Amino acid sequence: MCESCETGIERLETHRSTQPHIREGVDRRSFLAASGALGAGGLISTALAADDAGMPPAPREKDPARVRVVFLYPPAQVVNDGQMEDSWRPHHWFTWPGNQFQPETQQEKFTEVIRQIAGRLGVKAEFAPEAIYQEAKATAWLEETRASKPDAVLIVNFWNTLSKLTLQLATEAAPTAIVYHPVGSNHQLPPADLRKQDGFYYIHSIENWDEIERGLRAVRAKKMLQQSRLLRIGPSAGAAAVEPLLGVEIATAPADEYNGIFDAIAIDDALKREAMAFKQRATRVVDVEDDYFFDAIRAHRTVAEMMRRYQADAITITCLLLKHRKPCVSFALNNGNLVPCGCENHLDGTLTQMLGRWLLDRAGFMHNPEFDTSENRYFGAHCTCAVKLHGPEGKEQSFWIRPFFHQLPKTPALDVQWTPGEQVLVAKYLTGKNTLVCWKGRVIESPASPPTGGCATRVLVEIDQLRDVCDMYSGTHPIMFCGNAGDARRFRAFARMYRLTFEGNLA
């Protein structure tokens, strides 16, 4: 096993697998559809739809993330009657946001939007029946919330003097929190202990629904990952384990099992039709014989069968030495349909693909990085780039099919053409280092080969505001996603909420 394959695995803790179930109170089909999980493993391209033998199994059932939502503010009559529990009570004084803010109306608006966002993401939002402003009721809500063990709390604070209470609830009620504090409901600087502290996501903005969604996406991602299983296929099987921070279960299987399944698949007429239908989708085919297309479909079916056997949500394989059995085409198809597949049995890269699947609902391109130091540009190349970079329902990139670059036999790999000007992110989760990296930039082109080398798909990127592009290097197999600065903030939200060091060029 190569050094990169082993990175972090020794830090994993042995784990006995469990089978999750959907709790009562959430319609499972509605949840799966909203979360993007329904059929995620089965959205294989129409070229392969005639025979479902190569389709990965439907993902294992998962519980939705649960978030308890509470609003903090006193009703106007309480303030007018001098009953608010703060120092301004004798003066019947409305602190910021003032007596014209209409907090009840604002609560109705926020509640409706939060319900919509949560429903779209498949998150279960549980709202407190009324706003809280008294210490006794806050204590009761805190105790009840702790006992119910939600995945996070969302606290919307409409009252300046309730900031300390906000901090207490954010840090004591659940494993993490989203704190929304509208501009104009705070006086002077936002409280430093809310603004700077890790462990929750603090939002101080003007009616910023996107930021609330970023926080909820982070909660969903963590919940889904800790119910996911990654299958690693290498020279031999090992003990089951769990990645400590993300909670992803790690299962292993020997390459001999993969090879045995592949070798048993007959090349019949149906398989040939699938292979030729896929071949016809390419803009151009360069030096790849039809027999290797047949092998690509055999590999696709083998990947599906291995995932079915191990009930895996994602897979990574020591693939370089599989000869004609390499799964390059299968991985490209699966990644485009939100079934993360990672090259070379690499843990960090595949976990990053899994994280991006839930934060962005898009495929990630695992690649090896290179650097044009004269022009200060970033270059990524590899053999398993998805043709659908904007989600299963998004547009398909044009692509060539050409041989795998490193060695014979000449198995097919995709040379995907990235869109010039496309905004992209280069991300990587570093197992055991509690670090999440995310750099934003813009595609220049997909350079031809020659003059460039590398691998089947190549993409040249201008990284934003980075004096020395080599400074972004974080090791092998980072992941490139289509995404803008707002998408990068989803990664930052996840890092803040789950106490990761965040590195990158996001302002």
Side-chain angles (χ1 to χ4, degrees):
M1 186 180 295
C2 65
E3 181 179 354
S4 65
C5 300
E6 295 176 337
T7 301
I9 191 64
E10 66 276 6
R11 293 182 289 269
L12 301 177
E13 55 190 63
T14 302
H15 173 71
R16 187 182 184 92
S17 64
T18 58
Q19 184 72 13
H21 300 280
I22 294 296
R23 292 191 181 98
E24 294 182 359
V26 178
D27 178 78
R28 185 173 78 84
R29 180 168 294 274
S30 298
F31 161 62
L32 291 172
S35 67
L38 183 61
L43 289 170
I44 300 303
S45 64
T46 54
L48 303 181
D51 187 334
D52 66 0
M55 295 169 65
R60 294 181 301 158
E61 296 179 357
K62 296 176 175 61
D63 295 332
R66 288 177 50 245
V67 178
R68 300 202 79 189
V69 187
V70 64
F71 289 81
L72 305 183
Y73 69 87
Q77 194 60 50
V78 169
V79 181
N80 288 328
D81 291 344
Q83 298 300 313
M84 178 54 189
E85 297 176 0
D86 63 14
S87 60
W88 297 103
R89 174 172 53 191
H91 308 287
H92 308 269
W93 187 266
F94 284 78
T95 66
W96 281 35
N99 62 358
Q100 297 181 51
F101 179 69
Q102 300 176 331
E104 289 89 350
T105 301
Q106 294 300 310
Q107 179 179 354
E108 291 178 4
K109 180 192 294 186
F110 272 69
T111 297
E112 178 59 27
V113 174
I114 291 168
R115 285 190 192 278
Q116 291 176 4
I117 295 171
R120 187 169 67 250
L121 297 178
V123 172
K124 184 177 181 181
E126 302 169 348
F127 291 80
E130 58 185 15
I132 292 175
Y133 59 93
Q134 312 100 316
E135 182 179 348
K137 289 196 174 182
T139 299
W141 182 86
L142 177 58
E143 292 176 353
E144 179 191 356
T145 299
R146 280 176 180 160
S148 72
K149 297 183 179 180
D151 298 291
V153 293
L154 170 52
I155 303 163
V156 184
N157 179 15
F158 287 158
W159 201 255
N160 182 44
T161 61
L162 294 177
S163 291
K164 288 184 178 180
L165 176 61
T166 299
L167 178 64
Q168 180 188 8
L169 300 183
T171 55
E172 297 180 13
T176 191
I178 306 161
V179 175
Y180 191 96
H181 202 180
V183 168
S185 62
N186 177 76
H187 196 267
Q188 311 297 331
L189 281 174
D193 48 8
L194 287 173
R195 184 166 63 94
K196 296 183 178 181
Q197 184 164 312
D198 287 335
F200 57 86
Y201 193 45
Y202 178 63
I203 305 166
H204 194 51
S205 192
I206 301 175
E207 205 166 83
N208 197 328
W209 313 127
D210 289 342
E211 283 282 70
I212 292 176
E213 179 169 337
R214 289 179 187 110
L216 290 175
R217 279 181 175 271
V219 177
R220 180 186 72 164
K222 183 62 162 62
K223 183 69 171 182
M224 295 299 105
L225 290 173
Q226 67 189 25
Q227 299 176 90
S228 294
R229 180 178 296 151
L230 167 61
L231 176 62
R232 303 183 74 181
I233 299 178
S236 61
V242 168
E243 198 285 327
L245 192 143
L246 300 181
V248 174
E249 182 183 348
I250 312 292
T252 64
D256 285 348
E257 183 176 358
Y258 174 96
N259 293 340
I261 295 171
F262 180 101
D263 293 343
I265 296 174
I267 302 176
D268 56 19
D269 289 342
L271 185 146
K272 290 180 179 180
R273 285 194 298 270
E274 290 179 16
M276 293 302 96
F278 174 70
K279 177 182 177 180
Q280 291 172 8
R281 289 167 56 193
T283 303
R284 184 178 177 184
V285 178
V286 180
D287 198 24
V288 179
E289 298 176 1
D290 285 353
D291 285 349
Y292 289 128
F293 280 96
F294 304 155
D295 285 341
I297 301 305
R298 294 170 79 192
H300 191 43
R301 294 185 178 187
T302 303
V303 168
E305 174 60 16
M306 290 297 294
M307 294 185 72
R308 185 196 66 78
R309 287 186 182 186
Y310 289 86
Q311 293 186 290
D313 301 277
I315 190 170
T316 182
I317 302 176
T318 303
C319 48
L320 292 180
L321 302 180
L322 290 178
K323 299 181 180 180
H324 60 292
R325 306 180 185 91
K326 290 189 293 295
C328 301
V329 168
S330 179
F331 279 16
L333 292 172
N334 286 342
N335 280 323
N337 290 298
L338 303 184
V339 181
C341 297
C343 309
E344 301 176 51
N345 205 349
H346 191 244
L347 181 63
D348 288 4
T350 310
L351 289 172
T352 307
Q353 288 178 303
M354 296 174 75
L355 177 60
R357 179 263 175 270
W358 290 109
L359 289 179
L360 303 176
D361 296 312
R362 290 175 216 142
F365 172 38
M366 179 183 284
H367 61 276
N368 277 313
E370 248 272 44
F371 304 89
D372 184 332
T373 58
S374 294
E375 301 298 329
N376 203 42
R377 290 170 171 173
Y378 183 84
F379 177 86
H382 225 281
C383 52
T384 59
C385 183
V387 295
K388 290 189 174 182
L389 298 172
H390 297 271
E393 304 304 320
K395 67 176 182 178
E396 182 171 293
Q397 305 294 120
S398 65
F399 65 96
W400 292 17
I401 297 175
R402 57 197 310 166
F404 177 71
F405 271 42
H406 288 304
Q407 63 183 47
L408 296 175
K410 293 182 177 181
T411 53
L414 274 61
D415 185 348
V416 176
Q417 302 300 298
W418 287 65
T419 304
E422 180 93 62
Q423 294 182 80
V424 292
L425 309 175
V426 179
K428 192 174 181 183
Y429 169 68
L430 303 178
T431 306
K433 297 182 180 179
N434 289 347
T435 298
L436 183 58
V437 176
C438 184
W439 299 88
K440 58 188 180 70
R442 192 177 300 269
V443 173
I444 298 172
E445 62 175 343
S446 291
S449 177
T452 63
C455 204
T457 293
R458 300 156 313 285
V459 56
L460 188 65
V461 175
E462 190 82 46
I463 300 296
D464 296 344
Q465 299 174 331
L466 186 59
R467 180 171 296 180
D468 183 353
V469 69
C470 293
D471 288 344
M472 65 182 286
Y473 182 71
S474 59
T476 59
H477 295 157
I479 310 299
M480 188 178 297
F481 299 94
C482 292
N484 55 26
D487 296 318
R489 285 157 69 177
R490 296 181 186 178
F491 284 93
R492 185 170 66 182
F494 187 90
R496 291 294 298 272
M497 294 174 73
Y498 297 102
R499 300 181 184 278
L500 293 166
T501 298
F502 183 80
E503 297 178 358
N505 58 351
L506 184 63

